[in-house]
Amino acid sequence: EPEVTQTPSHQVTQMGQEVILRCVPISNHLYFYWYRQILGQKVEFLVSFYNNEISEKSEIFDDQFSVERPDGSNFTLKIRSTKLEDSAMYFCASSGYRGDEQYFGPGTRLTVT
Amino acid sequence: GIQVEQSPPDLILQEGANSTLRCNFSDSVNNLQWFHQNPWGQLINLFYIPSGTKQNGRLSATTVATERYSLLYISSSQTTDSGVYFCAVKDYGGSQGNLIFGKGTKLSVKP
């Protein structure tokens, strides 16, 4: 069964450093998403991506964040200068069409020290 | 925006017991999903159920879209069912497809 994959599973970085989280969505899906979950809290939407551009973003997704689909398979989330409060689990998801079931990856746990 | 409320927030069961988790939402939806977050933090898709009833083994779910709620039933619970159960919805409004999550129900199944 096709699945969304994410790398790395855990990343530790120092405050102020740049990080890139990687995702490989399901191959025939058209919509891609990033969500995050701060420890003990609910999952929050960050950004959606369709047709090679951002289609929607939340208030959390400020200028420190960017997304890219550098090739036909990868979908990346970059945090330019990490802060302590960026420590969270980051989930990538994909769906075939808008409103369809979203399939989530296993997540990347980001720890900023 | 749409509000999602889950109840109860915490639930402790003895192994073998049955349970019902509830998700209320404040507006019409065209996507509703149930997830199980395991102890490693992974979100496991349980059901995609914007309306109707589905069953998968010991789990089943029902969404009554006109009354704006969904129920997740767990029968004969096992310790491996422990974790947090999230309901997530997408409304019919202008959003491009992002899911709005509830705060979850934390289930602990004791042996």
Side-chain angles (χ1 to χ4, degrees):
Chain A
E1 185 176 325
E3 58 181 16
V4 177
T5 59
Q6 291 186 242
T7 53
S9 56
H10 189 191
Q11 174 133 16
V12 181
T13 189
Q14 288 191 326
M15 198 167 52
Q17 296 296 303
E18 175 183 287
V19 294
I20 297 176
L21 310 183
R22 290 182 167 79
C23 168
V24 178
I26 293 173
S27 62
N28 61 347
H29 281 182
L30 303 175
Y31 290 82
F32 314 114
Y33 312 87
W34 283 101
Y35 294 82
R36 81 168 187 192
Q37 183 185 32
I38 294 171
L39 186 64
Q41 299 187 20
K42 66 179 182 179
V43 179
E44 300 173 290
F45 167 73
L46 290 178
V47 65
S48 58
F49 193 86
Y50 169 71
N51 200 25
N52 276 323
E53 59 183 22
I54 290 174
S55 48
E56 189 175 12
K57 58 184 180 180
S58 72
E59 293 175 351
I60 304 168
F61 193 88
D62 61 22
D63 292 343
Q64 292 298 313
F65 292 90
S66 62
V67 289
E68 195 177 32
R69 188 156 162 82
D71 53 44
S73 58
N74 290 283
F75 180 49
T76 62
L77 174 69
K78 182 194 291 186
I79 309 175
R80 206 157 287 123
S81 176
T82 50
K83 307 183 187 74
L84 294 175
E85 54 265 36
D86 293 327
S87 294
M89 182 78 107
Y90 288 81
F91 294 102
C92 172
S94 70
S95 65
Y97 296 98
R98 189 184 102 170
D100 269 5
E101 181 174 10
Q102 292 186 22
Y103 293 83
F104 280 68
T108 293
R109 187 173 298 281
L110 177 65
T111 303
V112 182
T113 61
Chain B
I2 193 167
Q3 304 296 313
V4 182
E5 291 184 5
Q6 291 187 244
S7 59
D10 295 278
L11 186 58
I12 300 174
L13 296 177
Q14 210 61 35
E15 199 168 27
N18 303 328
S19 62
T20 301
L21 282 57
R22 187 175 181 104
C23 173
N24 291 333
F25 41 95
S26 60
D27 209 340
S28 301
V29 299
N30 64 1
N31 179 351
L32 188 147
Q33 294 183 235
W34 283 98
F35 298 89
H36 174 215
Q37 187 164 43
N38 64 22
W40 296 271
Q42 296 174 336
L43 284 173
I44 311 300
N45 283 42
L46 296 178
F47 294 102
Y48 168 71
I49 187 165
S51 64
T53 297
K54 290 186 178 179
Q55 180 154 8
N56 185 3
R58 296 182 296 104
L59 272 60
S60 63
T62 295
T63 297
V64 183
T66 52
E67 297 187 20
R68 300 183 183 169
Y69 73 89
S70 183
L71 302 174
L72 177 69
Y73 305 97
I74 305 174
S75 65
S76 304
S77 57
Q78 301 175 357
T79 55
T80 50
D81 294 331
S82 296
V84 183
Y85 290 79
F86 289 103
C87 166
V89 305
K90 182 208 165 297
D91 63 16
Y92 273 103
S95 67
Q96 292 296 313
N98 56 286
L99 292 172
I100 307 299
F101 281 74
K103 292 184 178 180
T105 290
K106 185 175 180 182
L107 175 65
S108 300
V109 181
K110 306 295 184 187

